[in-house]
Amino acid sequence: LNDKMRSPQKNEDGPESIYMRCLKKILEQFDDWKRVLLLMKAQNFSYEEISRYVNRPTEQLKTYYMRAKESLTEKVNECVSKG
C-alpha cells in the first residue's frame, strides 16, 4: 500500500508468504465497509463512487481511507515481524 510496508518474505512451509497471510488476517478484522474502501481506492475509484457502496459521506472518506491504510500498514508490519 505504501513504502512503509515491508517487502513480502518467502515462507518455507508453503507458497503463500507470511506477508500475504498477515494481510489476509488483518483485513478480516476490518469492518466490511473499510475493506471495500481500501480495495476500491487501490483500484483508483473516486471517493464519490466509493461512497455509494459504503454509505459514508464522500467528504469524510479521504480521512477514513488514510486512517485505515495507516492502521493496515502498522498491523501487517507487526504481524510480519512476529513471524
Side-chain angles (χ1 to χ4, degrees), residues 6 9 11 13 18 21-22 76-83:
R6 298 177 183 181
Q9 299 174 356
N11 184 6
D13 55 289
I18 188 169
R21 285 200 320 264
C22 287
V76 168
N77 284 338
E78 183 179 311
C79 177
V80 168
S81 69
K82 289 179 180 177

Side-chain angles (χ1 to χ4, degrees), residues 3 9-10 13 19 37 45-46 54 63 78 80-82:
D3 58 344
Q9 299 174 356
K10 297 272 184 191
D13 55 289
Y19 174 82
L37 171 60
F45 282 87
S46 71
V54 298
T63 301
E78 183 179 311
V80 168
S81 69
K82 289 179 180 177

Side-chain angles (χ1 to χ4, degrees), residues 8-71:
Q9 299 174 356
K10 297 272 184 191
N11 184 6
E12 293 106 27
D13 55 289
E16 186 176 53
S17 72
I18 188 169
Y19 174 82
M20 289 304 295
R21 285 200 320 264
C22 287
L23 184 59
K24 286 179 184 178
K25 176 182 167 186
I26 302 304
L27 279 173
E28 287 174 358
Q29 296 170 7
F30 276 63
D31 292 334
D32 288 341
W33 73 269
K34 285 184 183 178
R35 278 196 303 273
V36 170
L37 171 60
L38 287 165
L39 294 170
M40 289 184 77
K41 236 1 233 171
Q43 296 178 45
N44 296 316
F45 282 87
S46 71
Y47 289 113
E48 187 175 305
E49 291 173 298
I50 297 169
S51 71
R52 291 186 221 136
Y53 291 95
V54 298
N55 295 320
R56 297 287 191 278
T58 303
E59 313 79 52
Q60 295 177 3
L61 282 181
K62 185 174 183 179
T63 301
Y64 288 136
Y65 173 70
M66 295 304 289
R67 289 178 183 163
K69 187 169 98 169
E70 184 176 308
S71 176

